[in-house]
């Protein structure tokens, strides 16, 4: 019953279009083209809104490790497959939001494999609406750079480095933190005069 | 008059720094240390200790688990290591130290299932009390401790990763464990005795 109604309805509409087609062609064509342009622009905009998670090399991370600016970088090493890491990510996001206007930058360094970037990391960042800086460190020979981050790091994640070279502050933790612990470590870093 | 106080202050700060540095270094074995034996339950129900395996020249002690993606990526490579080096006297001894309450996928029953599914040719032991992992100083999975028999003792000859590319076995450049074993088997010193790699943190029991 429903199906036949739709067909009748459509047939009616098609007949209507047929009748009016000649008269309104000059009006419809630009409208149609305009609609096409609009939809193309809309998809382009949606793509631009998808977060960009760049895959970077060690030199990019070292820019933050060696920065002499009076900024406290909270560099967290995580991965989409690491449960304790994902559980503490909201704390880092909260601290970044609370530190607006302060020289504090949260940097989330993904340890996922680069082949999982589009499949896992970007969807994760989109879904959780992460606002901190996120990049994927594409350096498979981990033994070559783990000591550069901190010699005491065995390689287990989550791991977090608080670093402010201007204030000669540096704290490395190879364990997850509560929000309160994270805030406390940040306060003690900022309390030291440069 | 104030100078001695400064001296004392500096001395106490140095002592504090020294002890904290010492403490981290002391947490677990270093290369060259003598490793102690253990007795843990294998997936076949039998208790296994290193002392029982008299024909072995040493052991590829591997802290690993069912649940960590990095551990899973190395399962096939662990099987290959065992097949290549067990006949030469170095069997793989896999130990799962993860706490079952935090990581239910690492229960003894799940270990038995994994060993069966993957047809592990090596023992897969349950470190239920996490005492062995703590004593060895393991922090992540997978984490390798290469032990060599030296008379009655077992000497730690290498600590670290299996190779330099966990994600892609095809792209491995440096086979750390194999290189160490090949040197040990020919009586040469191990060229690289410790390496680091990203891994899953061991799921420690909450009260510890």
């Amino acid at each position: 019953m429903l199906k036949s109604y739709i067909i009748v309805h459509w047939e009616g509409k098609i007949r209507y279009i047929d009748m009016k087609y000649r008269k309104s062609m000059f009006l419809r064509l630009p409208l149609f083209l305009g609609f096409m342009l609009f939809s193309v622009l809309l998809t382009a905009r949606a793509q631009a809104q998808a977060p960009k998670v760049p895959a970077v090399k060690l030199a990019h991370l070292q820019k933050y490790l060696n920065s002499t600016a009076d900024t406290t970088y909270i560099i967290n090493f995580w991965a989409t497959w690491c449960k304790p890491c994902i559980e503490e990510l909201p704390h880092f996001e909260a601290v970044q939001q609370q530190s607006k206007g302060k020289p504090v930058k949260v940097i989330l360094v993904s340890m996922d494999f680069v082949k999982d970037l589009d499949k896992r990391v970007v969807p994760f960042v989109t879904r959780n609406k992460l606002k901190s800086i996120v990049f994927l460190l594409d350096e498979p020979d981990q033994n070559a750079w783990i000591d550069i981050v901190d010699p005491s790091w065995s390689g287990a994640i989550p791991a977090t480095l608080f670093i402010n070279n201007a204030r000669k502050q540096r704290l490395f933790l190879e364990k997850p933190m509560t929000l309160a612990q994270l805030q406390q470590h940040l306060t003690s870093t900022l309390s030291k005069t440069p | 008059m104030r100078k001695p106080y400064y001296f004392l202050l500096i001395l106490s700060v140095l002592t504090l720094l020294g002890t904290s540095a010492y403490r981290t270094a002391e947490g677990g074995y270093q290369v060259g240390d003598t490793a102690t034996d253990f007795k843990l339950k294998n997936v076949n129900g039998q208790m296994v200790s290193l002392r029982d395996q008299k024909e072995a020249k040493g052991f590829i002690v591997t802290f690993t688990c069912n649940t960590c993606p990095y551990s899973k990526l190395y399962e096939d490579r662990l099987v290959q290591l065992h097949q290549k080096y067990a006949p030469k006297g170095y069997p793989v001894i896999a130990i799962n130290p993860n706490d079952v309450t935090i990581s239910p996928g690492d229960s003894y029953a799940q270990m038995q299932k994994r060993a069966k599914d993957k047809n592990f040719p090596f023992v897969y032991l349950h470190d239920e009390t996490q005492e062995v992992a703590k004593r060895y100083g393991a922090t992540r999975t997978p984490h390798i401790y290469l032990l060599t028999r030296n008379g009655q003792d077992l000497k730690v000859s290498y600590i670290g990763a299996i190779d330099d590319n966990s994600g892609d076995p095809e792209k491995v450049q440096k086979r750390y464990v194999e290189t160490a074993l090949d040197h040990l088997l020919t009586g040469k010193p191990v060229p690289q005795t410790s390496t680091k790699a990203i891994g899953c943190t061991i799921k420690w029991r909450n009260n510890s």
Side-chain angles (χ1 to χ4, degrees), chain B residues 57-200:
Chain B
K57 290 177 188 157
F59 302 96
I60 310 168
V61 174
T62 306
F63 292 93
T64 185
C65 67
N66 289 349
T67 48
C68 170
Y70 275 73
S71 291
K72 287 187 197 167
L73 282 164
Y74 274 110
E75 281 173 335
D76 293 341
R77 280 175 265 185
L78 265 187
V79 171
Q80 286 162 12
L81 266 180
H82 181 81
Q83 278 162 350
K84 186 172 175 187
Y85 290 98
K88 296 178 180 177
Y90 283 87
V92 165
I93 307 282
I95 302 175
N96 187 336
N98 276 357
D99 181 55
V100 185
T101 51
I102 296 172
S103 182
D106 286 308
S107 69
Y108 183 68
Q110 289 296 321
M111 282 174 63
Q112 287 179 310
K113 189 175 179 295
R114 192 75 191 160
K116 204 179 158 203
D117 291 350
K118 293 296 289 185
N119 213 356
F120 285 163
F122 44 79
V123 297
Y124 189 22
L125 313 177
H126 193 201
D127 185 13
E128 205 182 344
T129 60
Q130 308 189 308
E131 197 234 318
V132 178
K134 272 185 219 157
R135 204 196 312 152
Y136 275 62
T139 57
R140 59 176 194 273
T141 54
H143 204 160
I144 317 292
Y145 287 75
L146 207 53
L147 310 183
T148 318
R149 205 185 284 284
N150 184 10
Q152 286 291 310
D153 291 338
L154 288 165
K155 214 183 90 186
V156 180
S157 307
Y158 170 85
I159 302 175
I162 292 171
D163 56 43
D164 68 349
N165 197 319
S166 35
D168 191 349
E170 310 267 297
K171 286 187 185 150
V172 168
Q173 307 260 313
K174 294 170 230 157
R175 297 171 202 281
Y176 304 125
V177 169
E178 285 198 39
T179 307
L181 284 165
D182 290 341
H183 279 74
L184 288 168
L185 285 165
T186 49
K188 284 182 274 188
V190 175
Q192 196 167 6
T193 54
S194 76
T195 57
K196 290 180 175 183
I198 296 296
C200 307

Side-chain angles (χ1 to χ4, degrees), chain B residues 39-48 108-109 111-112 115 123-126:
Chain B
K39 206 178 184 91
L40 295 172
K41 195 156 110 184
N42 189 15
V43 282
N44 65 3
Q46 284 173 350
M47 298 303 283
V48 170
Y108 183 68
M111 282 174 63
Q112 287 179 310
V123 297
Y124 189 22
L125 313 177
H126 193 201

